[in-house]
Amino acid sequence: METNAPWSLAVAWDWMEECARSADATVRGADSCVPPVAEELVLAARASALSQWYPFTSHNYLRFEDSPAFWTPGTQPNVHELTGSISFDTGGPEGRPSFRVWSGLLLRKPDPVLVLATPNAAEAVDALVGLLTAHGVESRP
């Protein structure tokens, strides 16, 4: 891949899978509020309608944009983030992993609204797809 060429969607998802595997390996067996479930979440998202969007993580949230993030080489300045995300942590019962689906944008006003908390990554992904569809986010051609 050329240094200044924009990332393809497939490359962005491949990179996200690699980063998630690495992040999980880092926290596996550690005393951390971040459980080793990033890869599980990314794989579930990639197998869904979310695969049409560019993924990125921030603060243990899986988020999506309509083009490669501004920090990737050759990107356009008008990147739009989708108004929904999935967070993951050990906030479930007895410290088990929990996925939380949020409506809204992280760290922006108005504050995001919690839509669902579940221990199941695929269920969280399905809920986010439904949320985005309900908010009029169109599928990409």
Side-chain angles (χ1 to χ4, degrees), residues 46-61:
R46 192 172 192 177
S48 78
L50 295 174
S51 65
Q52 66 189 313
W53 306 104
Y54 285 83
F56 71 103
T57 54
S58 174
H59 300 91
N60 300 328
Y61 281 73

Side-chain angles (χ1 to χ4, degrees), residues 117-129:
T118 177
N120 185 297
E123 185 178 344
V125 165
D126 288 346
L128 182 57
V129 169

Side-chain angles (χ1 to χ4, degrees), residues 17-56:
E17 282 185 30
E18 184 178 331
C19 290
R21 255 188 312 280
S22 177
D24 285 352
T26 299
V27 298
R28 196 169 277 115
D31 183 20
S32 174
C33 67
V34 181
V37 294
E39 184 178 20
E40 174 186 358
L41 179 58
V42 168
L43 291 174
R46 192 172 192 177
S48 78
L50 295 174
S51 65
Q52 66 189 313
W53 306 104
Y54 285 83
F56 71 103

Side-chain angles (χ1 to χ4, degrees), residues 38-128:
E39 184 178 20
E40 174 186 358
L41 179 58
V42 168
L43 291 174
R46 192 172 192 177
S48 78
L50 295 174
S51 65
Q52 66 189 313
W53 306 104
Y54 285 83
F56 71 103
T57 54
S58 174
H59 300 91
N60 300 328
Y61 281 73
L62 179 59
R63 300 159 65 180
F64 302 90
E65 294 177 323
D66 61 358
S67 61
F70 69 87
W71 58 82
T72 56
T75 58
Q76 301 299 316
N78 297 341
V79 177
H80 294 96
E81 185 177 346
L82 275 63
T83 56
S85 59
I86 302 172
S87 64
F88 51 99
D89 59 36
T90 55
E94 299 175 13
R96 289 188 300 240
S98 180
F99 300 94
R100 290 180 175 81
V101 179
W102 299 90
S103 176
L105 296 172
L106 177 65
L107 302 175
R108 306 221 188 98
K109 297 291 182 191
D111 290 336
V113 175
L114 178 64
V115 175
L116 173 73
T118 177
N120 185 297
E123 185 178 344
V125 165
D126 288 346
L128 182 57

